[in-house]
């Protein structure tokens, strides 16, 4: 990685914009902002800027616009597609939102919360809960990712089937544009049918259109009861049958339906060797119902599971008898993700297909690995209720990392082909970033490309916002 040495003039101008506390320019200080969570990418930067106010974000954007300096917005840096890391070595600045981390206002009567973009997701969930409300965005990285990063990447997670993605949960945004101008898109209104819904342009834009500095989200009543079950099933087909039946039979009260191929449990045990395996079956399902008071949720779930066992869809079921047991079930789901990172480089995908096509996706993907990449270990798990499967593949341990990475490109291409062949997407929830840009762009129609580039040119005419992420430099390049 090339380390760029900025001129003292540039550094002092940047320091004037964000103050002494806001500038990090020494390699040791910058290191944590220049490597990703999974250890897959390392980047470079002229400097890392940590503005402490919206005014400082504006000042630095004005300066970068004047100097023609490219800017990479960064939240909690938990993204998995190299959106907040520039590994090309170009001379850009990273703008971390971590110092903009206050909750601005909770209006429990309106079920809304406004926060700085750098607020960690868990802090928003905790503050909502303290007011007897729920902010339902939930993902493994919630202790580190920021609400601005969630908005910029349109995060999904485990409760999408009930509450939708970040896009569905955000009511308003505050954004500093590429030239430093501030757009305040807060209204607190659930219905506001006047003109273009501009916030939606920035949601999922991965830092390519502006810097999100504030987010207003929808809250929900905190569920009075949650029931969690860990199930064993004979196959992925039965898991999908079970899901369809459960939605109707459980009054659409399902808040999570996670599917886990049994082979993933070994990965969770890399994090905790004593991790309990609640069931023995080829496919595991972690299912959660939640509701307000007034219905017997436990009886609803227990009755449904008894019927499902009688029908042969479920071979084994453990209903959590305490919060601690429910938490232990979730630890398995979270541990398997961390376990993969601990094992080292692996092919990671984030595919989505129609829910009914999940079994075909997994079957074709397993066939591909078995026939063309023998010795590689396929893992299938994901948010099945959203048609979202993370089909990941571990290289044989004896393969060197560089060889594994080179072959991994082929494995990934084969998996993408299968998903696209089924009418699916190569990015269900993680975004495009730098790691999926070519495949994303190659799959767009000329009309889609033209509209995308027109939006980019209108909001970021100099191309300074997160260059290299999501979009190529011109409509016809890759
Ligand atoms: C263990 C683990 C589990 C995960 N589980 C899920 C999951 O279930 N569902 C899911 O969707 N994702 C998941 N992720 C991916 C990741 O956590 C999410 O994409 C998250 O929303 C990223 O937020 P962040 O603050 O870390 O953003 P970053 O990684 O810092 O940035 C992500 C993108 O957003 C841009 N960006 C960040 N902040 C801003 C801002 N304020 N203004 C403009 N642009 C900005 C960046 O430039 C980059 O392109 C997981 C990651 C890990 C490590």
């Amino acid at each position: 990685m090339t380390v760029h040495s900025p001129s003292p003039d540039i550094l002092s101008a940047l320091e004037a914009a964000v103050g002494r506390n806001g500038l990090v320019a020494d390699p040791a200080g910058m290191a944590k902002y220049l490597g990703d969570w999974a250890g897959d990418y390392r980047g470079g930067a002229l400097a890392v800027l940590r503005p402490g106010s919206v005014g400082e974000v504006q000042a630095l954007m004005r300066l970068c616009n004047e100097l023609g300096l490219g800017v990479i917005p960064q939240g909690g840096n938990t993204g998995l597609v190299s959106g907040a890391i520039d590994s090309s070595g170009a001379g850009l600045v990273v703008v971390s939102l971590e110092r903009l981390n206050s909750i601005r206002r909770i209006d429990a009567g309106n079920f809304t919360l406004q926060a700085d973009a750098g607020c960690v997701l868990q802090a928003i969930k905790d503050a909502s809960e303290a007011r007897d409300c729920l902010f339902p965005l939930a993902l493994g990285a919630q202790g580190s990712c920021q609400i601005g990063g969630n908005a910029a990447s349109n995060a999904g997670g485990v409760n999408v089937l009930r509450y939708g993605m970040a896009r569905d949960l955000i009511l308003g945004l505050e954004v500093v544009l590429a030239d430093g101008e501030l757009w305040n898109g807060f209204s607190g209104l659930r219905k506001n049918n006047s003109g273009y819904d501009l916030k939606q342009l920035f949601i999922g834009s991965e830092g390519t259109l502006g810097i999100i500095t504030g987010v207003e989200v929808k809250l929900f009543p905190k569920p009075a009861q949650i029931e969690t079950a860990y199930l064993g099933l004979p196959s992925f087909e039965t898991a999908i049958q079970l899901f369809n039946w459960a939605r109707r039979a459980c009054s659409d009260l399902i808040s999570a339906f996670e599917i886990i191929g049994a082979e993933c449990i070994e990965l969770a045990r890399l994090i905790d060797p004593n991790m309990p395996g609640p069931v023995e079956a080829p496919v595991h399902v972690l299912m959660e119902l939640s509701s307000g008071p007034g219905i017997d949720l436990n009886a609803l779930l227990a009755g449904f599971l008894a019927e499902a066992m009688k029908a042969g869809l479920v071979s084994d079921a453990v209903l959590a008898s305490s919060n601690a047991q429910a938490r232990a079930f979730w630890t398995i789901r979270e541990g398997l993700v961390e376990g993969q990172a601990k094992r080292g480089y692996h092919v990671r995908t984030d595919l989505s297909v129609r829910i009914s096509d999940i079994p075909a996706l997994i079957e074709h993907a397993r066939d591909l690995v078995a026939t063309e990449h023998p010795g590689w270990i396929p893992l299938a798990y994901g948010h099945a209720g959203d048609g979202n499967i993370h089909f990941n593949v571990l290289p044989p341990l004896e393969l060197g990392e560089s060889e594994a990475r080179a072959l991994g490109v082929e494995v990934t291409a084969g998996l993408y082909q299968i998903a696209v062949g089924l009418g699916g997407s190569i990015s269900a929830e993680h975004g495009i970033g730098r790691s999926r840009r070519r495949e994303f762009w190659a799959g767009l129609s000329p009309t889609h490309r033209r509209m995308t580039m027109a939006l980019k040119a209108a909001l970021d005419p100099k191309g300074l916002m997160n260059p290299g992420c999501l979009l190529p430099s011109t409509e016809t390049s890759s």
Side-chain angles (χ1 to χ4, degrees):
M1 176 54 46
T2 318
V3 177
H4 294 262
S5 303
S7 76
D9 285 354
I10 289 190
L11 281 186
S12 52
L14 290 169
E15 186 174 315
V18 294
R20 179 167 290 186
N21 266 345
L23 176 74
V24 184
D26 64 298
M30 290 201 293
K32 78 171 175 143
Y33 303 92
L34 302 180
D36 73 324
W37 177 87
D40 278 345
Y41 308 103
R42 276 228 65 82
L46 284 179
V48 175
L49 306 174
R50 302 165 59 246
S53 68
V54 174
E56 287 184 1
V57 178
Q58 290 187 265
L60 78 86
M61 288 310 297
R62 273 188 223 109
L63 179 68
C64 291
N65 189 46
E66 198 182 299
L67 298 175
L69 267 185
V71 170
I72 306 182
Q74 188 175 95
N77 199 13
T78 67
L80 298 171
V81 291
S82 189
I85 306 269
D86 169 48
S87 33
S88 74
L92 312 174
V93 291
V94 168
V95 176
S96 165
L97 278 292
E98 67 190 351
R99 288 175 67 213
L100 279 183
N101 58 8
S102 301
I103 291 182
R104 298 185 188 173
R105 178 164 187 245
I106 302 180
D107 183 345
N110 197 40
F111 284 98
T112 52
L113 176 151
Q114 259 182 35
D116 288 347
C119 255
V120 169
L121 174 57
Q122 186 65 55
I124 289 182
K125 293 174 77 71
D126 291 346
S128 308
E129 202 171 324
R131 299 291 298 275
D132 214 22
C133 290
L134 169 76
F135 181 57
L137 190 64
L139 42 140
Q142 66 194 32
S144 319
C145 63
Q146 299 174 3
I147 192 66
N150 301 145
S153 61
N154 185 26
V158 297
N159 292 150
V160 171
L161 82 167
R162 177 82 163 268
Y163 297 99
M165 295 188 65
R167 189 180 291 293
D168 304 296
L169 296 169
I170 291 173
L171 271 187
L173 290 179
E174 177 192 84
V175 181
V176 172
L177 302 177
D179 60 3
E181 197 176 342
L182 183 67
W183 174 62
N184 183 328
F186 290 152
S187 72
L189 302 178
R190 269 145 218 281
K191 290 185 134 180
N192 184 10
N193 213 353
S194 41
Y196 299 140
D197 190 355
L198 293 181
K199 68 173 181 293
Q200 294 296 354
L201 287 182
F202 295 97
I203 299 172
S205 67
E206 302 187 36
T208 61
L209 297 179
I211 299 194
I212 298 168
T213 50
V215 182
E216 182 173 55
V217 297
K218 294 181 197 167
L219 303 180
F220 296 79
K222 187 176 146 195
Q225 37 180 349
I226 299 178
E227 293 292 336
T228 312
Y230 199 99
L231 315 174
L233 287 87
S235 67
F236 288 103
E237 281 86 356
T238 46
I240 299 309
Q241 285 173 34
L242 183 78
F243 173 69
N244 284 330
W245 187 18
R247 276 200 76 174
R248 294 175 196 282
C250 299
S251 304
D252 224 359
L253 293 173
I254 306 177
S255 40
F257 193 93
E258 295 290 305
I259 205 168
I260 303 170
E263 68 283 357
C264 302
I265 303 301
E266 279 316 303
L267 274 299
R269 294 217 172 96
L270 288 182
I271 299 302
D272 175 2
N274 301 317
M275 184 86 68
V279 298
E280 291 287 337
V283 175
H284 301 190
V285 163
L286 179 50
M287 178 175 166
E288 184 189 89
L289 303 191
S290 54
S291 80
I295 47 173
D296 190 342
L297 202 63
N298 182 277
L300 182 69
L301 182 55
F304 166 70
L305 291 177
E307 288 295 311
M309 288 181 95
K310 230 189 277 169
L313 293 184
V314 173
S315 54
D316 206 351
V318 188
L319 210 71
S321 58
S322 63
N323 288 345
Q325 197 179 10
R327 192 61 233 135
F329 293 165
W330 279 106
T331 311
I332 299 171
R333 172 65 180 81
E334 286 152 17
L336 75 91
V337 178
E338 284 177 46
Q340 291 171 74
K342 185 166 180 187
R343 187 183 186 267
Y345 166 77
H346 56 279
V347 169
R348 187 184 321 111
T349 69
D350 172 34
L351 309 173
S352 80
V353 289
R354 279 181 293 275
I355 295 171
S356 54
D357 283 334
I358 285 180
L361 172 74
I362 295 174
E363 189 190 330
H364 295 335
R366 282 180 168 174
D367 284 352
L368 173 94
V369 175
T371 53
E372 295 189 22
H373 308 283
W376 288 61
I377 304 165
L379 307 172
Y381 66 94
H383 315 302
D386 314 322
N388 178 189
I389 294 298
H390 301 299
F391 193 95
N392 296 352
V393 194
L394 309 176
L397 280 171
E398 60 277 12
L399 213 59
E401 182 169 331
S402 55
E403 206 183 338
R405 280 182 187 273
L407 286 169
V409 175
E410 245 175 71
V411 181
T412 309
L415 295 173
Y416 284 177
Q417 226 173 356
I418 292 170
V420 171
L422 288 166
S425 166
I426 62 166
S427 176
E429 60 177 6
H430 292 166
I432 298 298
R434 290 174 173 77
S435 62
R436 296 184 185 140
R437 190 192 74 195
R438 278 174 208 283
E439 295 85 348
F440 159 68
W441 199 246
L444 298 184
S445 70
T447 312
H448 196 147
R449 288 183 184 192
R450 201 168 56 249
M451 289 193 294
T452 305
M453 281 307 199
L455 281 172
K456 173 75 173 168
L459 287 169
D460 179 21
K462 294 188 181 171
L464 300 179
M465 294 306 309
N466 214 352
C469 178
L470 189 60
L471 308 170
S473 49
T474 66
E475 203 173 308
T476 47
S477 51
S478 57

